[in-house]
Amino acid sequence: MSESKQMAGARSSELFAQAQQHIPGGVNSPVRAFRAVGGGPLFISSAKGAEVTDADGRTYIDYVASWGPMILGHAHPEIVAAIQQAAARGTSYGAPTELEVEFAQEIKSALPSIEKVRLVSSGTEAVMSAIRLARGFTGRDKIVKFVGCYHGHSDALLAKAGSGIATFGLPDCPGVPAETVKHTLTLPFNDITALEVLFKEIGSEIAAVVLEPIPGNMGCVLPKSGFLQKLREVTSEARSLLIFDEVITGFRLGRGGAQALYNIKPDLTCLGKIIGGGLPVGAFGGRADIMDYLAPVGPVYQAGTLSGNPLAVTAGLTALRILQDESIYRKLETQTTKLVSATNDAAKEAGIAVSINSIGSIFTCFFTDQKVVDWDSAKTSDTARFAKFFRVMLSEGIYMAPSQFEVGFVSAAHTDELLERTAKAARKAFKTLV
Ligand SMILES: *Cc1c(COP(=O)(O)O)cnc(C)c1O
């Protein structure tokens, strides 16, 4: 039996074989299939705090955190209780609720750039809708995105979109007509010159620039000093809108997200992941004059049967209220710093070249000796080495995202003891790579 075959237990492997008969690739989102690391996925049966348990009854320390939402850990008792109480009052009405007003106020209080906000059910919907709104509001078609940034799987944004697509080596996605993406221009992240040149040429035709202010979908990449400021400058000058996709960073790096950290006021902001407290929620919001361009006040149509769903909003509101306690963010950062420095030490000890990017409670350990500042430098990583590292970590009970180009998430439930177990596993894993 090959090493990769031994990763998932017998029950997970059996379930994966069954799943593949009924679900394309056996998964409902491609990266879950473990294709980049070999072997089949773990089927998860339950989760609590910082740990997940698979169908074979094995427990792992979890750094996937459902790809970001679970900042407070899994099955947080307050959130579970709130969902249970809400469910008893009915699970969907398709009508406005007081909860939505409270939720909008909660989001606005954390992100002052948001004057009005609309709820949707996923991050994909949030960014797709913000783009339509920006085009409608400005009367322009062109949008700019950055190579390696991911904004969900809507047609116009599926160009050079980082991890999910890169992992599968799909340069272009069949099914997306060329006409649909012809208005999508892509630039390298952190390249101020390329940005200035483009805006000098056609700034007046650009509806919006959309970006992850701190990209998480090519692994963790930090904006160079001055990059976000320059973006704000050139977009304001050209009357193009600046859209921050804070689906990962919103309420992850502090309540105010990346925009508070870098003191930049975008015109529109997209949220998702954490704001749903583990249930499906997305949101987009920003300047009132722009947001009022949406139906029913304005002409840009956008809608959703389950938008503002009372269960999802209850979970999200409960999570955001818990996160009003800023000490949670300080603790998260302390824990992440400990983990990153232990990982760095372990790599050094084994003589393995790594480049670790980290901020707040997110991190990526790139297997390269280069500084990673954009997609090109991220791609210098040795993905075969990452895959081997991943497999050893998994066998040691550490569940990381199964791709080099993702971030790891630390949650409020990651205790010192769990971090030490992770560091011990990393020391062992790095040594197997020599
Ligand atoms: C996850 C993600 C999305 C898409 O959100 P879904 O809820 O998966 O549709 C959009 N933008 C960023 C930055 C993301 O990380």
PDB file of all heavy atoms in Angstrom, residues 186-201:
ATOM      1  N   THR A 186      -6.155  41.745 -15.546  1.00  0.00           N
ATOM      2  CA  THR A 186      -5.418  41.244 -14.376  1.00  0.00           C
ATOM      3  C   THR A 186      -4.043  41.886 -14.280  1.00  0.00           C
ATOM      4  O   THR A 186      -3.381  42.125 -15.280  1.00  0.00           O
ATOM      5  CB  THR A 186      -5.258  39.706 -14.430  1.00  0.00           C
ATOM      6  OG1 THR A 186      -4.625  39.362 -15.658  1.00  0.00           O
ATOM      7  CG2 THR A 186      -6.594  39.006 -14.347  1.00  0.00           C
ATOM      8  N   LEU A 187      -3.653  42.172 -13.059  1.00  0.00           N
ATOM      9  CA  LEU A 187      -2.338  42.774 -12.776  1.00  0.00           C
ATOM     10  C   LEU A 187      -1.640  41.934 -11.713  1.00  0.00           C
ATOM     11  O   LEU A 187      -2.299  41.285 -10.905  1.00  0.00           O
ATOM     12  CB  LEU A 187      -2.520  44.191 -12.206  1.00  0.00           C
ATOM     13  CG  LEU A 187      -2.996  45.305 -13.127  1.00  0.00           C
ATOM     14  CD1 LEU A 187      -3.165  46.587 -12.324  1.00  0.00           C
ATOM     15  CD2 LEU A 187      -2.024  45.518 -14.275  1.00  0.00           C
ATOM     16  N   PRO A 188      -0.297  41.968 -11.694  1.00  0.00           N
ATOM     17  CA  PRO A 188       0.406  41.293 -10.602  1.00  0.00           C
ATOM     18  C   PRO A 188       0.188  42.043  -9.283  1.00  0.00           C
ATOM     19  O   PRO A 188       0.184  43.284  -9.271  1.00  0.00           O
ATOM     20  CB  PRO A 188       1.880  41.349 -11.012  1.00  0.00           C
ATOM     21  CG  PRO A 188       1.980  42.272 -12.171  1.00  0.00           C
ATOM     22  CD  PRO A 188       0.615  42.580 -12.679  1.00  0.00           C
ATOM     23  N   PHE A 189      -0.019  41.296  -8.207  1.00  0.00           N
ATOM     24  CA  PHE A 189      -0.209  41.911  -6.894  1.00  0.00           C
ATOM     25  C   PHE A 189       1.065  42.632  -6.471  1.00  0.00           C
ATOM     26  O   PHE A 189       2.169  42.211  -6.817  1.00  0.00           O
ATOM     27  CB  PHE A 189      -0.582  40.829  -5.865  1.00  0.00           C
ATOM     28  CG  PHE A 189      -1.103  41.404  -4.572  1.00  0.00           C
ATOM     29  CD1 PHE A 189      -2.409  41.844  -4.481  1.00  0.00           C
ATOM     30  CD2 PHE A 189      -0.282  41.512  -3.461  1.00  0.00           C
ATOM     31  CE1 PHE A 189      -2.895  42.383  -3.296  1.00  0.00           C
ATOM     32  CE2 PHE A 189      -0.762  42.050  -2.273  1.00  0.00           C
ATOM     33  CZ  PHE A 189      -2.068  42.484  -2.191  1.00  0.00           C
ATOM     34  N   ASN A 190       0.911  43.720  -5.754  1.00  0.00           N
ATOM     35  CA  ASN A 190       2.044  44.473  -5.191  1.00  0.00           C
ATOM     36  C   ASN A 190       2.861  45.237  -6.227  1.00  0.00           C
ATOM     37  O   ASN A 190       3.930  45.757  -5.899  1.00  0.00           O
ATOM     38  CB  ASN A 190       2.996  43.540  -4.408  1.00  0.00           C
ATOM     39  CG  ASN A 190       2.637  43.474  -2.923  1.00  0.00           C
ATOM     40  OD1 ASN A 190       2.093  44.436  -2.372  1.00  0.00           O
ATOM     41  ND2 ASN A 190       2.930  42.361  -2.296  1.00  0.00           N
ATOM     42  N   ASP A 191       2.397  45.296  -7.481  1.00  0.00           N
ATOM     43  CA  ASP A 191       3.157  45.972  -8.536  1.00  0.00           C
ATOM     44  C   ASP A 191       2.574  47.373  -8.777  1.00  0.00           C
ATOM     45  O   ASP A 191       1.634  47.555  -9.551  1.00  0.00           O
ATOM     46  CB  ASP A 191       3.107  45.124  -9.810  1.00  0.00           C
ATOM     47  CG  ASP A 191       4.043  45.643 -10.888  1.00  0.00           C
ATOM     48  OD1 ASP A 191       4.387  46.857 -10.865  1.00  0.00           O
ATOM     49  OD2 ASP A 191       4.429  44.850 -11.765  1.00  0.00           O
ATOM     50  N   ILE A 192       3.143  48.355  -8.092  1.00  0.00           N
ATOM     51  CA  ILE A 192       2.617  49.725  -8.165  1.00  0.00           C
ATOM     52  C   ILE A 192       2.782  50.310  -9.569  1.00  0.00           C
ATOM     53  O   ILE A 192       1.890  50.994 -10.084  1.00  0.00           O
ATOM     54  CB  ILE A 192       3.320  50.623  -7.107  1.00  0.00           C
ATOM     55  CG1 ILE A 192       2.896  50.173  -5.700  1.00  0.00           C
ATOM     56  CG2 ILE A 192       2.973  52.093  -7.318  1.00  0.00           C
ATOM     57  CD1 ILE A 192       3.461  50.996  -4.567  1.00  0.00           C
ATOM     58  N   THR A 193       3.907  50.004 -10.204  1.00  0.00           N
ATOM     59  CA  THR A 193       4.159  50.554 -11.543  1.00  0.00           C
ATOM     60  C   THR A 193       3.117  50.071 -12.545  1.00  0.00           C
ATOM     61  O   THR A 193       2.544  50.867 -13.300  1.00  0.00           O
ATOM     62  CB  THR A 193       5.575  50.152 -12.022  1.00  0.00           C
ATOM     63  OG1 THR A 193       6.488  50.430 -10.964  1.00  0.00           O
ATOM     64  CG2 THR A 193       5.978  50.923 -13.257  1.00  0.00           C
ATOM     65  N   ALA A 194       2.853  48.752 -12.552  1.00  0.00           N
ATOM     66  CA  ALA A 194       1.871  48.196 -13.486  1.00  0.00           C
ATOM     67  C   ALA A 194       0.499  48.842 -13.262  1.00  0.00           C
ATOM     68  O   ALA A 194      -0.228  49.136 -14.215  1.00  0.00           O
ATOM     69  CB  ALA A 194       1.776  46.684 -13.312  1.00  0.00           C
ATOM     70  N   LEU A 195       0.183  49.096 -12.016  1.00  0.00           N
ATOM     71  CA  LEU A 195      -1.091  49.715 -11.663  1.00  0.00           C
ATOM     72  C   LEU A 195      -1.169  51.137 -12.225  1.00  0.00           C
ATOM     73  O   LEU A 195      -2.166  51.532 -12.851  1.00  0.00           O
ATOM     74  CB  LEU A 195      -1.197  49.744 -10.133  1.00  0.00           C
ATOM     75  CG  LEU A 195      -2.428  50.360  -9.512  1.00  0.00           C
ATOM     76  CD1 LEU A 195      -3.625  49.468  -9.761  1.00  0.00           C
ATOM     77  CD2 LEU A 195      -2.219  50.542  -8.004  1.00  0.00           C
ATOM     78  N   GLU A 196      -0.095  51.889 -12.026  1.00  0.00           N
ATOM     79  CA  GLU A 196      -0.074  53.270 -12.510  1.00  0.00           C
ATOM     80  C   GLU A 196      -0.156  53.332 -14.028  1.00  0.00           C
ATOM     81  O   GLU A 196      -0.874  54.164 -14.589  1.00  0.00           O
ATOM     82  CB  GLU A 196       1.208  53.968 -12.024  1.00  0.00           C
ATOM     83  CG  GLU A 196       1.126  54.354 -10.561  1.00  0.00           C
ATOM     84  CD  GLU A 196       2.395  55.032 -10.053  1.00  0.00           C
ATOM     85  OE1 GLU A 196       3.502  54.572 -10.425  1.00  0.00           O
ATOM     86  OE2 GLU A 196       2.267  56.011  -9.304  1.00  0.00           O
ATOM     87  N   VAL A 197       0.567  52.453 -14.697  1.00  0.00           N
ATOM     88  CA  VAL A 197       0.554  52.429 -16.163  1.00  0.00           C
ATOM     89  C   VAL A 197      -0.853  52.154 -16.675  1.00  0.00           C
ATOM     90  O   VAL A 197      -1.368  52.852 -17.549  1.00  0.00           O
ATOM     91  CB  VAL A 197       1.560  51.373 -16.700  1.00  0.00           C
ATOM     92  CG1 VAL A 197       1.353  51.131 -18.187  1.00  0.00           C
ATOM     93  CG2 VAL A 197       2.993  51.803 -16.402  1.00  0.00           C
ATOM     94  N   LEU A 198      -1.512  51.140 -16.089  1.00  0.00           N
ATOM     95  CA  LEU A 198      -2.858  50.783 -16.539  1.00  0.00           C
ATOM     96  C   LEU A 198      -3.829  51.948 -16.338  1.00  0.00           C
ATOM     97  O   LEU A 198      -4.615  52.277 -17.237  1.00  0.00           O
ATOM     98  CB  LEU A 198      -3.365  49.550 -15.787  1.00  0.00           C
ATOM     99  CG  LEU A 198      -4.743  49.070 -16.244  1.00  0.00           C
ATOM    100  CD1 LEU A 198      -4.650  48.393 -17.602  1.00  0.00           C
ATOM    101  CD2 LEU A 198      -5.364  48.110 -15.234  1.00  0.00           C
ATOM    102  N   PHE A 199      -3.758  52.585 -15.179  1.00  0.00           N
ATOM    103  CA  PHE A 199      -4.695  53.676 -14.914  1.00  0.00           C
ATOM    104  C   PHE A 199      -4.417  54.892 -15.782  1.00  0.00           C
ATOM    105  O   PHE A 199      -5.332  55.620 -16.149  1.00  0.00           O
ATOM    106  CB  PHE A 199      -4.739  54.022 -13.422  1.00  0.00           C
ATOM    107  CG  PHE A 199      -5.832  53.276 -12.729  1.00  0.00           C
ATOM    108  CD1 PHE A 199      -5.628  51.976 -12.300  1.00  0.00           C
ATOM    109  CD2 PHE A 199      -7.092  53.846 -12.555  1.00  0.00           C
ATOM    110  CE1 PHE A 199      -6.649  51.255 -11.707  1.00  0.00           C
ATOM    111  CE2 PHE A 199      -8.118  53.136 -11.962  1.00  0.00           C
ATOM    112  CZ  PHE A 199      -7.894  51.841 -11.538  1.00  0.00           C
ATOM    113  N   LYS A 200      -3.164  55.097 -16.113  1.00  0.00           N
ATOM    114  CA  LYS A 200      -2.821  56.211 -16.995  1.00  0.00           C
ATOM    115  C   LYS A 200      -3.442  55.993 -18.372  1.00  0.00           C
ATOM    116  O   LYS A 200      -3.997  56.909 -18.980  1.00  0.00           O
ATOM    117  CB  LYS A 200      -1.294  56.310 -17.115  1.00  0.00           C
ATOM    118  CG  LYS A 200      -0.819  57.717 -17.374  1.00  0.00           C
ATOM    119  CD  LYS A 200       0.656  57.828 -17.131  1.00  0.00           C
ATOM    120  CE  LYS A 200       1.157  59.169 -17.638  1.00  0.00           C
ATOM    121  NZ  LYS A 200       2.608  59.228 -17.614  1.00  0.00           N
ATOM    122  N   GLU A 201      -3.398  54.735 -18.813  1.00  0.00           N
ATOM    123  CA  GLU A 201      -3.927  54.402 -20.135  1.00  0.00           C
ATOM    124  C   GLU A 201      -5.441  54.443 -20.187  1.00  0.00           C
ATOM    125  O   GLU A 201      -6.021  55.094 -21.041  1.00  0.00           O
ATOM    126  CB  GLU A 201      -3.464  52.991 -20.543  1.00  0.00           C
ATOM    127  CG  GLU A 201      -2.110  52.961 -21.216  1.00  0.00           C
ATOM    128  CD  GLU A 201      -1.660  51.529 -21.487  1.00  0.00           C
ATOM    129  OE1 GLU A 201      -2.518  50.615 -21.545  1.00  0.00           O
ATOM    130  OE2 GLU A 201      -0.435  51.326 -21.606  1.00  0.00           O
TER     131      GLU A 201
END
